[in-house]
């Protein structure tokens, strides 16, 4: 089961990577257009902004599942194995709650941007498109967060190691 | 409790969370969220802010430079640039005493010129250079410490992710900060090389020597680093020269290194996916801290702490250099426990307002105005201006007094005090940013917690971390000497932007 | 007191609109309510967020009352843009009067149904403040100019400038760092933003204004509905046509003293005559058609705005002066 969520978040991260690559190409094409006089891509700036929000939301679940977040563990290393597992269980439960709150509130933002009809300044595409893409990734983030918290709690109760630390290289 | 008290109490609370191993981004987020809840008597406002704040934080055009530079670093590795850099440096320096270690520093500096991250530079160069150092009989601790120090060059030499974050927080020009980092970055590499030669003199057994390489081979090795020069020239040169924005530069660099890696055969479907997931991990780590910091700093701003702190410090009339010294020492201490990015995101919103109200004497309005007027007159701006106006201007300048703008406008000089102060503040901000960058990077190699020390040490299982700790003190000494130099002579930093 | 309202806006407290319009409104509300309502004033985005988020802050209750530039949220309030069209507005009082009337007629229950609108107004004539002198459109070729709304950015694109969208508080810094070569704003706000100390050229237009921006003073709907009847009556008495005309007129009247500051500094002030403005008008006029085609009844709205501005001008003497009760 952990492999399923790991695979899911990895897939999402790769999708984010593909979007990142597309944005890079857009920016470069725009520079070339501008410098050769063929004309830059209008609103490349806005495309990068909307796309980047999706990328980050898409990257978060995989980073979460593989323990990429920066921590200071020098003081907690002194804790016993058991206490340490319980500490992680508590932290990742709180983290899951935060990820859910983020997704739920982002939904609120999405609905309000949808109803308001707000667009970007230059391309004038609806702002909610970007919100919708980000929201989909944020939902997976919330689900992955809950799963990871369950894993941590199971680890604390049983003493077994389940979670995967560190990503592939 | 007043808002300011709530803001002040949030510091110990936040540090407690961080030291309890709560991820730093999450800790800042929680502190900001709870703090807003206490200030507003309920969470409705904190929740309402979340509706748009995550999206707007993540959709920043200037921050999009971060994943682009990270991807560029991965592509550079795949393209074999780390190997060719090391080979080139090694062919020239390897036969000297300590030469392979010096070559490793040189290669780190070169890789730093195409990689925005210290950890990536350390990890990449460690993989390439560590086996070589071992092969030529370099002692374990000396080898790991050398590569750890070399890793910090990844951030000091532009492009640099931490510098981008600083630029955004302090609202400074990324291109100018990159330019200002070049000389201190080169000084860092030179300082490390000097330290290596001192170290091998004191510990002759710590390094072996190998025979020199024929000249033809050296030039061939040097020729192989052309992609690095091309990418660095295009990216940093293009940004510095105003050809494109920093984000555009990062996109050019990522695509360029990607294409080079493709032609070198390093970029396959599998390694591309690996680059994406590795970029995803570091990017998400950074942006979650950015989000937490944005939320926490939003709370701090409402609590008025940064403004009050800046007013208080400026009212005390402390010497600007004393304040600067205290801040730098604080970073060195905090750096024993925390990584550079978190420190910058956590502290710059508080320290920068303090630094920006201090006068380091970079710009004097009257002197600047007089210089500009003299230059204008030398360029013939006085022609056609009434003689009595010129007499007035000359009299004021001779007396060392400010020339009213209406008069100076006659010779085309419209400098105002505001503009002069803006220039002075910019110099202060850039100089301070480079100093902070160096001390937080030093934090990455100071014991007991140094992220880079850990990364490199993990690659060399035979070397106890204590050996690394001992040898790295040499490089830390070099860092401290460099900071002292840059504090004493701001022009070293500001030279390329004035 | 019974109620505290958080009034949030983007300019420093001592800028003209906060000092001459918003403080007057807030003081009147406090006084008329005999102290039952207190208005806490938060300047320069002190409650957090960026200026484009102000409207949502009022809707979501992060602030109770906000003053905001409608153009910061493109696409949400398209009808207001009729007053942003180039060479449309000649007088801020007339336009603010017509704007309120059309707000009540067309926007109150539509575009603005999520908030309680207290007042609607426009600023004095919009103009250029630049590093290099600008007299004809070709002078702007390649210059990076800041615009405050999508129609202004459209205008900038048409005259050959490179538009940069940013809220007005960011202008000083962008100018001092050379991020932009100039900005569009009316005279009035140049003083608070120290623009005459950052650029040396100002281009103003005789006759109709090159462009205008529209403002609203907006209140959270639930907060308004939750007021007691007598407190509601206080807000109502300080809302509407008279207040809108007062706000637009006061803001436009502040143009003169701000212009004098630039004159005193020895800056170069270029006045484009009505004759010279024709060259500008020819280039930017297609914006009318473009805008109208994007609206359901665009042409009718343009005509209505023109007619109402004219009528407002004729009847200006009959409109009560705000605050004189
Ligand atoms: Na670098
Ligand atoms: Na450290």
């Amino acid at each position: 089961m952990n492999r399923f969520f790991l695979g899911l978040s990895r897939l999402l991260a790769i999708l984010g990577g593909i979007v990142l690559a597309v944005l890079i190409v857009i920016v470069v094409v725009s520079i070339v257009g501008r410098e050769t006089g063929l004309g830059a891509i209008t609103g490349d700036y806005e495309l990068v902004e909307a796309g980047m929000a999706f990328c980050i939301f898409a990257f978060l679940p995989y980073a979460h599942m593989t323990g990429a977040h920066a921590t200071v563990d020098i003081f907690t290393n002194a804790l016993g194995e058991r206490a340490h597992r319980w500490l992680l269980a508590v932290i990742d439960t709180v983290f899951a709650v935060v990820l859910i709150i983020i997704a739920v509130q982002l939904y609120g933002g999405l609905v309000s941007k949808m109803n308001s009809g707000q667009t970007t300044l230059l391309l004038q595409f609806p702002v909610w498109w970007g919100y919708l893409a980000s929201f989909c990734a944020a939902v997976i983030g919330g689900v992955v967060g809950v799963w990871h918290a369950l894993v941590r709690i199971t680890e604390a109760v049983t003493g077994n190691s389940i979670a995967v630390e560190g990503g592939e290289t | 409790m007043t808002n300011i008290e709530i803001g002040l109490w949030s510091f110990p609370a936040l540090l407690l969370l961080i030291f309890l191993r709560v991820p730093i981004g999450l800790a800042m987020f929680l502190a900001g969220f709870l703090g807003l809840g206490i200030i507003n008597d309920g969470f409705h406002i904190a929740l309402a802010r979340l509706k748009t704040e995550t999206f707007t934080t993540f959709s920043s055009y200037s921050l999009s430079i971060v994943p682009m530079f990270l991807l560029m670093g991965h592509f550079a590795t795949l393209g074999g640039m780390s190997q060719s850099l090391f080979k080139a440096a090694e062919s020239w320096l390897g036969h000297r005493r300590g030469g392979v270690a010096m070559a490793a520093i040189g290669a780190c500096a070169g890789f730093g010129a195409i990689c925005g991250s210290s950890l990536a530079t350390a990890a990449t160069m460690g993989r390439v250079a560590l086996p070589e150092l071992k092969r030529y009989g370099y002692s374990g601790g000396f080898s790991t410490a050398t590569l750890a120090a070399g890793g910090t060059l990844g951030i000091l030499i532009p492009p640099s992710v931490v510098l981008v974050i600083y630029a955004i927080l302090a609202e400074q020009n990324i291109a100018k900060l990159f330019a200002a980092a070049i000389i201190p970055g080169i000084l860092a590499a030179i300082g490390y090389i000097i330290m290596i030669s001192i170290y091998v003199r004191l510990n002759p057994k710590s390094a072996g020597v190998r025979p020199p390489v024929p000249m033809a081979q050296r030039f061939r090795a040097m020729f192989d680093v052309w992609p690095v020069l091309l990418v660095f020239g295009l990216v940093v040169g293009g940004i510095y020269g105003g050809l494109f924005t920093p984000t555009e530069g990062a996109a050019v660099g990522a695509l360029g290194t990607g294409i080079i890696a493709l032609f070198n055969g390093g970029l396959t479907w599998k390694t591309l996916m690996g680059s994406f997931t590795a970029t995803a991990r570091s990017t998400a780590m950074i942006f979650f801290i950015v989000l937490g910091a944005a939320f926490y700093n939003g709370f701090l701003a409402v609590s008025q702490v940064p403004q009050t702190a800046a007013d208080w410090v400026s009212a005390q009339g402390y010497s600007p250099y004393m304040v600067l010294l205290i801040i730098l020492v604080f970073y060195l201490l905090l750096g024993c426990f925390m990584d550079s990015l978190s420190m910058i995101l956590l502290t710059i919103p508080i320290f920068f307002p303090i630094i920006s109200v201090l006068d380091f004497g970079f710009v004097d309005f009257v002197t600047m105005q007089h210089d500009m007027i003299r230059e204008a007159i030398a360029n013939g701006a006085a022609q056609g201006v009434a003689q009595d106006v010129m007499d007035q201007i000359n009299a004021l300048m001779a007396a060392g007094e400010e020339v009213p703008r209406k008069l100076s406008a006659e010779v085309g000089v419209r400098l105002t005090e505001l503009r002069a102060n803006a220039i002075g503040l910019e110099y202060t901000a850039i100089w301070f940013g480079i100093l902070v960058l160096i001390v937080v990077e030093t934090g990455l190699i100071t014991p007991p917690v140094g992220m880079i020390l850990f990364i490199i040490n993990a690659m060399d299982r035979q070397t106890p971390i204590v050996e690394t700790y001992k040898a790295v003190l040499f490089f830390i000494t070099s860092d401290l000497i460099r900071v002292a130099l840059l504090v004493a002579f701001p022009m070293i930093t500001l030279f390329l932007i004035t | 007191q019974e109620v505290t309202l958080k009034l949030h806006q983007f300019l420093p407290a001592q800028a003209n609109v906060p000092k001459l319009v918003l403080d007057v409104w807030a003081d009147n509300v406090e006084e008329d309510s005999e102290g039952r309502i207190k208005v806490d004033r938060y300047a320069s985005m002190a409650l957090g967020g960026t200026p484009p988020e102000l409207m949502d802050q009022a809707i979501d209750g992060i602030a109770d009352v906000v003053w905001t530039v409608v153009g910061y949220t493109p696409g949400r309030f398209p009808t207001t843009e009729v007053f942003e069209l180039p060479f449309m507005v000649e007088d801020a009082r007339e336009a603010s009067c017509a704007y309120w009337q059309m707000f009540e007629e067309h926007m109150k229950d539509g575009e603005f149904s999520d908030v309680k609108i207290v007042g609607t107004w426009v600023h004095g004539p919009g103009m250029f403040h630049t590093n290099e002198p600008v007299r004809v459109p070709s002078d702007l070729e390649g210059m990076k100019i800041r615009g405050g709304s999508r129609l202004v950015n459209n205008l900038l694109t048409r005259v050959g400038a490179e538009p940069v969208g940013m809220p007005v508080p960011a202008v000083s810094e962008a100018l001092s760092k050379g991020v932009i070569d100039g900005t569009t704003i009316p005279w009035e706000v140049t003083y608070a933003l120290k623009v005459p100390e950052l650029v040396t050229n100002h281009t103003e237009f005789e006759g109709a204004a090159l462009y205008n921006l529209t403002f609203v003073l907006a209140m959270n709907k639930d907060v308004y509905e939750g007021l007691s009847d007598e407190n509601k009556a206080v807000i109502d008495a300080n809302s509407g046509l008279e207040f809108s005309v007062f706000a637009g007129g006061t803001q436009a009247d502040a143009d003169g003293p701000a212009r004098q500051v630039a004159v005193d500094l020895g800056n170069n002030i270029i006045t484009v005559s009505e004759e010279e403005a024709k060259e500008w008008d020819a280039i930017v006029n297609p914006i009318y058609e473009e805008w109208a085609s994007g609206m359901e009844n665009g042409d009718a709205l343009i005509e209505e705005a023109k007619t109402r501005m004219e009528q407002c001008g004729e009847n200006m003497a009959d409109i009560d002066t705000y605050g004189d009760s």
Side-chain angles (χ1 to χ4, degrees):
Chain A
M1 200 54 180
N2 200 47
R3 281 172 68 183
F4 168 76
F5 283 104
L6 193 65
L8 175 71
S9 56
R10 184 174 175 274
L11 251 157
L12 189 63
I14 288 174
L15 186 62
I18 292 170
V19 171
L20 175 64
V22 170
L23 295 177
I24 286 171
V25 171
I26 288 177
V27 172
V28 174
V29 169
S30 188
I31 303 169
V32 171
R34 183 178 70 207
E35 297 301 326
T36 55
L38 293 170
I41 296 177
T42 316
D44 55 344
Y45 194 95
E46 294 170 354
L47 291 173
V48 169
E49 289 195 333
M52 199 51 64
F54 169 76
C55 287
I56 309 303
F57 276 109
F59 289 164
L60 273 168
Y62 184 67
H64 190 70
M65 286 288 286
T66 56
H69 291 297
T71 56
V72 172
D73 42 20
I74 181 167
F75 301 104
T76 48
N77 279 345
L79 290 175
E81 170 92 24
R82 226 177 113 76
H84 198 257
R85 285 182 192 275
W86 275 109
L87 180 68
L88 292 190
V90 172
I91 291 171
D92 279 323
T93 305
V94 175
F95 213 146
V97 172
V98 167
L99 289 174
I100 291 171
I101 291 178
I102 285 176
V104 169
Q105 292 308 104
L106 188 64
Y107 180 72
L110 166 65
V111 169
S112 98
K113 295 293 172 196
M114 247 167 129
N115 291 337
S116 73
Q118 186 171 334
T119 67
T120 65
L121 206 57
L122 291 174
L123 283 178
Q124 299 184 18
F125 66 83
V127 171
W128 68 261
W129 291 1
Y131 272 79
L132 180 64
S134 295
F135 172 67
C136 294
V139 169
I140 298 181
V143 172
V144 163
V146 171
W147 170 256
H148 197 61
L150 291 174
V151 165
R152 288 297 192 205
I153 294 170
T154 314
E155 285 181 334
V157 173
T158 62
N160 298 328
S161 291
I162 307 167
V164 177
E165 304 290 342
E168 59 197 325
T169 41
Chain B
M1 264 201 294
T2 65
N3 285 359
I4 290 191
E5 284 168 345
I6 298 169
L8 289 176
W9 273 108
S10 73
F11 295 128
L14 177 59
L15 280 183
L16 182 70
L17 285 177
I18 289 175
F19 291 158
L20 280 176
R21 208 202 164 279
V22 176
I24 293 166
L26 180 66
M28 287 198 256
F29 181 91
L30 291 173
F33 194 83
L34 298 175
L36 275 175
I38 296 173
I39 281 187
N40 294 312
D41 241 355
F43 290 103
H44 59 289
I45 286 179
L47 285 171
R49 281 179 65 157
L50 266 184
K51 284 165 81 170
T52 53
E53 205 159 314
T54 48
F55 184 86
T56 48
T57 305
F58 291 163
S59 68
S60 151
Y61 180 77
S62 5
L63 273 177
S64 64
I65 194 173
V66 171
M68 292 183 190
F69 274 148
L70 292 175
L71 192 61
M72 172 171 148
H74 288 295
F75 286 163
T77 309
L78 294 177
M81 293 186 198
S82 43
Q83 277 95 342
S84 54
L85 274 167
F86 182 70
K87 265 190 202 137
E90 206 243 347
S91 72
W92 286 88
L93 295 167
H95 58 282
R96 295 163 177 273
R97 181 158 290 280
V100 185
M102 293 174 186
I105 293 291
C108 283
F111 197 71
I114 46 170
C115 177
S117 142
S118 278
L119 302 183
T121 304
T124 308
M125 292 316 303
R127 224 170 288 141
V128 175
L130 210 49
E132 298 290 306
L133 285 162
K134 283 299 176 70
R135 195 148 67 92
Y136 291 115
Y138 282 67
S139 73
F142 182 42
S143 307
T144 47
T146 299
L147 286 165
T152 64
L153 298 173
I155 283 293
L156 284 183
I157 294 175
S160 161
V161 166
V162 175
L163 215 45
V164 169
I165 304 275
Y166 173 81
I168 292 169
L169 289 173
E171 302 184 310
Q172 294 301 315
N173 184 312
I174 295 173
K176 286 186 181 168
L177 272 162
F178 278 5
I182 291 179
I183 295 178
I186 293 171
L187 280 183
I190 294 173
Y192 292 157
I193 287 175
I194 293 173
M195 279 300 162
I196 289 172
S197 67
I198 295 176
Y199 188 95
V200 291
R201 225 150 264 166
L202 294 177
N203 309 284
K205 282 185 198 142
S206 62
V209 193
R210 65 143 180 75
V213 170
M215 272 299 168
Q217 201 178 323
R218 292 188 197 183
F219 281 104
R220 202 174 322 123
M222 218 162 78
F223 179 76
D224 285 341
V225 298
W226 68 265
V228 177
L229 296 175
L230 178 77
V231 171
F232 177 76
L234 205 58
V235 174
V236 175
I239 293 172
Y240 182 51
L243 187 63
F244 31 66
T245 66
T247 299
E248 289 172 345
V252 169
L255 191 66
T257 44
I259 291 171
I260 291 168
L262 191 65
F263 276 103
N264 284 354
L267 191 63
T268 61
W269 188 250
K270 191 164 177 287
T271 57
L272 179 65
M273 295 303 115
S275 309
F276 284 161
T277 53
T279 302
R281 293 185 81 230
S282 335
T283 304
M285 183 268 280
I286 293 172
F287 274 73
F288 203 77
I289 300 175
V290 170
L291 175 71
F295 225 72
Y296 182 62
N297 294 325
F299 150 70
L300 273 189
V302 174
S303 79
Q304 295 275 310
V305 164
Q307 193 50 50
T308 314
D311 293 347
W312 186 81
V313 171
S314 83
Q316 302 304 305
Y318 294 139
S319 144
Y321 280 91
M322 185 50 81
V323 177
L324 177 72
L325 192 70
I326 292 171
I327 291 179
L328 293 181
V329 170
F330 174 82
Y331 275 121
L332 279 175
L333 295 178
L334 195 59
C336 291
F337 308 105
M338 223 188 235
D339 74 281
S340 48
L341 197 77
S342 309
M343 281 201 285
I344 289 213
L345 280 160
L346 184 60
T347 56
I348 291 301
I350 301 159
F351 288 159
F352 187 68
I354 293 176
I355 284 293
S356 61
V357 292
L358 299 175
D359 182 11
F360 289 92
F362 285 137
V363 170
D364 175 66
F365 168 56
V366 176
T367 317
M368 196 175 192
Q369 188 197 37
H370 290 186
D371 288 347
M372 284 174 76
I373 291 175
R374 265 181 230 112
E375 199 189 323
I377 293 173
N379 291 336
Q383 278 166 7
V385 180
Q387 191 56 47
D388 63 314
V389 171
M390 286 316 297
D391 290 345
Q392 263 180 292
I393 292 178
N394 286 324
L396 284 165
M397 297 219 308
E401 278 172 35
E402 179 190 342
V403 180
R405 187 164 162 196
K406 201 141 196 185
L407 274 179
S408 72
E410 296 280 344
V411 290
V413 173
R414 291 186 164 92
L415 183 75
T416 59
E417 203 159 355
L418 185 78
R419 186 118 214 186
N421 288 341
I423 295 170
L425 177 60
E426 181 176 45
Y427 290 169
T428 308
I430 289 174
W431 177 61
F432 178 66
I434 301 298
L435 291 173
V436 169
L437 185 75
I438 294 171
V439 288
V440 298
E441 278 305 294
T442 304
L444 288 182
I445 55 169
T446 50
V449 179
M451 297 280 285
I452 299 188
L453 293 180
F454 293 163
I455 286 182
I456 297 291
N457 210 74
M459 292 181 180
D460 182 4
R461 300 209 180 267
Q462 289 103 31
T463 304
I465 188 97
V466 181
E467 294 297 311
T468 311
Y469 284 170
K470 276 187 205 154
V472 86
L473 290 179
F474 275 77
F475 297 104
I476 294 171
T477 310
S478 156
D479 283 355
L480 296 180
I481 294 171
R482 179 158 29 92
V483 169
L485 268 177
L486 297 183
V487 170
F489 305 104
M491 273 318 282
I492 300 174
T493 309
L494 299 175
F495 174 70
L496 279 180
I497 56 162
T498 46
Chain C
Q1 87 273 349
E2 296 168 1
V3 189
T4 305
L5 298 178
K6 283 184 280 189
L7 169 56
H8 197 204
Q9 54 86 20
F10 53 88
L11 283 184
Q14 64 279 11
N16 285 318
V17 172
K19 192 176 62 185
L20 303 176
V21 177
L22 303 178
D23 274 349
V24 171
W25 178 84
D27 290 345
N28 282 348
V29 166
E30 288 180 349
E31 204 173 299
D32 293 355
S33 68
E34 290 160 342
R36 292 187 311 271
I37 303 178
K38 184 165 170 286
V39 184
D40 282 347
R41 297 144 216 210
Y42 294 89
S44 301
M45 302 305 298
L47 291 178
T50 57
E53 292 163 44
L54 278 167
M55 185 55 85
D56 284 325
Q57 292 188 343
I59 293 172
D60 296 335
I62 295 173
D64 301 311
V65 185
V66 303
W67 172 56
T68 186
V69 176
V70 179
Y72 289 170
T73 47
R76 285 173 71 161
F77 313 102
T79 311
T80 62
E81 289 173 339
V82 71
F83 295 104
E84 291 183 8
L85 290 166
F87 301 109
M88 178 77 174
V89 172
E90 292 201 25
D91 178 277
R93 281 187 175 78
E94 293 169 10
S96 302
C97 162
Y99 180 9
W100 178 264
Q101 292 172 344
M102 289 179 68
F103 159 74
E104 293 217 291
E105 181 84 24
H106 304 291
M107 304 174 233
K108 190 177 178 182
D109 302 319
E111 293 163 17
F112 285 105
S113 59
D114 289 340
V115 280
K116 155 84 181 165
I117 295 295
V118 173
T120 61
W121 69 94
V122 305
H123 59 51
M127 53 181 292
F128 294 110
H129 310 264
T130 48
N131 286 338
E132 301 295 325
V134 172
R135 180 172 284 281
V136 290
S138 59
D139 292 334
L140 282 164
E141 189 71 47
M143 281 171 90
K144 283 193 191 128
I145 307 288
R146 171 265 172 190
S149 75
R150 68 186 189 111
L151 282 200
V152 174
N153 281 326
N154 186 336
L155 179 153
L156 291 170
T157 309
R158 283 173 190 274
V159 294
E162 191 182 319
V164 180
M166 68 172 73
V168 78
V171 162
S172 309
E173 191 157 310
L175 281 175
S176 76
K177 289 186 182 146
V179 174
I180 49 174
D181 305 308
T183 181
T184 58
I185 34 171
W187 274 120
E188 166 270 309
V189 75
T190 58
Y191 182 69
L193 299 179
K194 308 227 184 313
V195 169
E197 299 179 43
L198 294 164
V199 301
T200 48
N201 298 282
H202 310 269
T203 305
E204 52 187 16
F205 289 75
E206 267 180 8
L210 173 69
Y211 78 92
N212 276 85
L213 288 187
T214 56
F215 302 99
V216 287
L217 185 63
M219 187 169 176
N220 178 278
K221 212 161 189 178
D222 293 338
V223 168
Y224 173 74
E225 301 293 350
L227 293 174
S228 67
D229 283 349
E230 46 181 358
N231 285 345
K232 240 185 229 171
V234 171
I235 299 296
D236 290 343
N238 285 285
S239 304
L241 186 73
E242 289 80 14
F243 171 67
S244 300
V245 171
F246 160 79
T250 307
Q251 192 170 355
D253 290 346
D255 282 343
R259 184 182 191 276
Q260 191 57 44
V261 172
V263 173
D264 292 343
L265 279 170
N267 283 0
N268 178 25
I269 296 176
I270 297 165
T271 307
V272 176
S273 68
E274 289 199 56
E275 188 56 34
E276 290 170 309
K278 282 180 185 157
E279 187 188 343
W280 291 82
D281 189 41
I283 296 174
V284 298
N285 204 268
I287 294 177
Y288 276 77
E289 206 175 310
E290 192 183 306
W291 181 78
S293 68
M295 299 291 294
E296 248 171 57
N297 47 352
D299 288 320
L301 288 170
I302 292 170
E303 279 318 304
E304 184 181 340
K306 283 181 179 166
T307 317
R308 283 190 190 271
M309 282 195 286
E310 200 174 314
Q311 284 169 351
C312 281
E314 285 164 11
N315 304 327
M316 195 51 78
D318 302 332
I319 299 175
D320 288 338
T321 312
Y322 170 74
D324 266 6
S325 55

